[in-house]
């Protein structure tokens, strides 16, 4: 957030939008949706060794109504699509999606009739993490990229940056 400090009297100037974005990006509540091996890497990122709390995301929620960042880690079969969509629809606005791993991004090696070839076929994705599996550090990097995306948002103008980017 861009702050301007004046004198020694404790004055700080910023815009209301930047203040909202700062609050949003510093307290994402992830909904961990691990469906396959990538889920293990996500669990490692949430554990103390990697400490996602540094990025304000230490509070995983298993209720979509109390989460704003869906972390989809693993293969999605077409049978699971209604569940994934329902969870996304029930999440609070504004919400973001991280597709973790090759399977979530594109179906990965599973080019089969039963596997969804990328979750962006059914829900919008904000950050893609490549790899099979991506390491926990990659999820931390994705969170930082999400911070930047939230920073570009214009919440008082209808989330213009988010809409313009198709997210
Ligand atoms: S991308 Fe690789 S590690 Fe991740 S769920 Fe698919 S097969 Fe497993």
């Amino acid at each position: 957030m861009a702050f301007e400090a004046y004198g020694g009297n404790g004055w700080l100037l910023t815009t209301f939008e930047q203040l909202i974005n700062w609050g949003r990006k510093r307290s994402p509540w992830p909904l961990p949706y691990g469906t396959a091996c990538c889920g293990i890497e996500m669990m490692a990122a949430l554990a103390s060794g990697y400490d996602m709390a540094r990025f304000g995301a230490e509070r995983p929620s298993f209720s979509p109504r109390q989460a704003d960042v869906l972390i989809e880690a693993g293969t999605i079969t077409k049978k699971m699509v209604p569940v994934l969509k329902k969870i996304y629809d029930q999440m609070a606005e504004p919400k973001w999606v991280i597709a973790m791993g090759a399977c979530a991004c594109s179906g990965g090696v599973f080019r089969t009739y039963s596997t969804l070839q990328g979750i962006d076929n059914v829900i919008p994705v904000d950050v893609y993490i490549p790899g099979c599996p991506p390491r926990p550090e990659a999820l931390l990097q994705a969170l930082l990229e999400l911070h930047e995306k939230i920073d570009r948002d214009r919440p008082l103008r209808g989330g213009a940056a988010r809409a313009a980017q198709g997210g």
Side-chain angles (χ1 to χ4, degrees):
M1 177 166 52
F3 275 129
E4 287 186 50
Y6 283 92
N9 299 324
W11 282 92
L12 284 175
L13 294 182
T14 186
T15 66
F16 196 45
E17 278 192 326
Q18 284 176 328
L19 192 62
I20 292 173
N21 287 347
W22 177 76
R24 283 179 175 168
K25 78 177 187 182
R26 291 295 169 189
S27 59
W29 284 6
L31 191 154
Y33 193 70
T35 52
C37 8
C38 273
I40 305 296
E41 302 296 323
M42 176 178 60
M43 289 176 217
L46 282 161
S48 53
Y50 290 94
D51 189 18
M52 264 170 57
R54 287 177 291 157
F55 308 101
E58 75 273 36
R59 190 247 178 227
S61 175
F62 292 92
S63 158
R65 292 183 180 84
Q66 293 164 352
D68 53 12
V69 180
L70 176 65
I71 304 175
E72 205 303 291
T75 327
I76 292 287
T77 60
K78 288 181 180 164
K79 258 188 174 178
M80 290 166 62
V81 166
V83 177
L84 177 66
K85 255 196 83 49
K86 190 170 192 173
I87 286 175
Y88 177 76
D89 289 344
Q90 288 181 341
M91 284 171 63
E93 289 278 2
K95 53 194 169 190
W96 299 274
V97 176
I98 296 175
M100 182 173 179
C103 287
C105 295
S106 66
V109 296
F110 302 106
R111 198 147 188 85
T112 64
Y113 72 94
S114 58
T115 304
L116 187 67
Q117 301 298 295
I119 63 166
D120 54 6
N121 284 299
V122 290
I123 58 173
V125 172
D126 294 280
V127 184
Y128 297 86
I129 308 176
C132 175
R135 287 180 53 88
E137 290 94 334
L139 180 53
L140 301 184
Q141 175 67 29
L143 274 175
L144 292 176
E145 287 176 24
L146 191 62
H147 282 186
E148 288 175 16
K149 183 161 190 174
I150 294 171
D151 249 346
R152 292 194 298 270
D153 205 358
R154 295 290 171 266
L156 301 184
R157 284 170 263 177
R162 183 171 161 75
Q165 290 162 19

